[in-house]
């Protein structure tokens, strides 16, 4: 929530942030264009990092690293394409925004749907239990799954 709030604030008031670093009108205009496009998805970067560190604590960083690779691939391929097509900076900024969105979305999807069972078993093992316990509640919180007595809807 913090990174999304920060992103929305700098997107709404880019000169407050950029003015700390420069007063050059061209740099301020370019920076404002960047922040208007990219900063609103900073929350997805924060979410991706949050889940990466949670996964790191469990020793399961495969999917978050894959999500980072997806982000890098989008920026690299999209950037080369945009430059070859002679698109302006706004297109490059949109590619960066899409890549930022992808890292958060890929990590959430992977952990929510692909790691759900193994995450629970890892938490059970680390807590020394074999039945529904605080570890299951922690797993449900991490992956956003409904707990006991809650519906999936």
């Amino acid at each position: 929530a913090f990174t999304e709030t920060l992103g929305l604030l700098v997107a709404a008031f880019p000169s407050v942030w950029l003015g700390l670093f420069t007063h050059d009108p061209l740099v301020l205009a370019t920076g404002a264009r960047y922040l208007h496009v990219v900063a609103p998805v900073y929350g997805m970067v924060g979410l991706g990092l949050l889940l990466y560190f949670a996964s790191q604590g469990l020793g399961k960083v495969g999917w978050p690293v894959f999500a980072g690779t997806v982000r890098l691939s989008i920026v690299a391929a999209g950037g080369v394409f945009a430059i070859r097509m002679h698109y302006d900076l706004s297109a490059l900024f949109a590619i960066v925004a899409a890549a930022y969105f992808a890292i958060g979305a890929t990590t959430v999807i992977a952990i929510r749907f692909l790691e759900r069972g193994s995450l629970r078993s890892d938490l059970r093992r680390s807590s020394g239990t074999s039945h529904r316990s605080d570890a299951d509640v922690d797993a449900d919180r991490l992956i956003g799954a409904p707990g006991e007595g809650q519906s999936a809807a």
Side-chain angles (χ1 to χ4, degrees):
F2 176 75
T3 53
E4 184 61 21
T5 302
L6 184 63
L8 293 174
L9 284 172
V10 297
F13 308 103
S15 61
V16 173
W17 177 250
L18 296 170
L20 296 172
F21 305 99
T22 186
H23 297 291
D24 182 315
L26 182 59
V27 174
L28 290 171
T30 304
R33 282 176 47 206
Y34 173 85
L35 290 173
H36 286 149
V37 175
V38 178
V41 293
Y42 282 177
M44 293 300 278
V45 176
L47 179 60
L49 285 171
L50 172 96
L51 293 173
Y52 170 79
F53 290 125
S55 297
Q56 188 177 36
L58 294 170
K60 295 246 178 208
V61 296
W63 285 111
V65 169
F66 173 75
T69 304
V70 168
R71 179 188 61 85
L72 177 62
S73 299
I74 290 170
V75 169
V80 168
F81 178 77
I83 289 169
R84 288 192 178 184
M85 298 303 292
H86 303 285
Y87 291 149
D88 68 358
L89 279 176
S90 294
L92 290 172
F93 298 159
I95 291 165
V96 171
Y100 280 0
F101 184 85
I103 195 169
T106 303
T107 306
V108 166
I109 289 167
I111 289 176
R112 174 83 164 113
F113 297 107
L114 303 174
E115 285 289 331
R116 186 174 183 173
S118 65
L119 179 62
R120 270 211 183 83
S121 63
D122 289 344
L123 286 170
R124 278 189 189 127
R125 226 175 298 126
S126 69
S127 69
T129 64
S130 59
H131 60 281
R132 182 158 178 84
S133 66
D134 291 341
D136 289 309
V137 173
D138 291 342
D140 288 342
R141 268 193 219 118
L142 180 63
I143 62 176
E148 210 169 274
Q150 296 176 332
S151 69

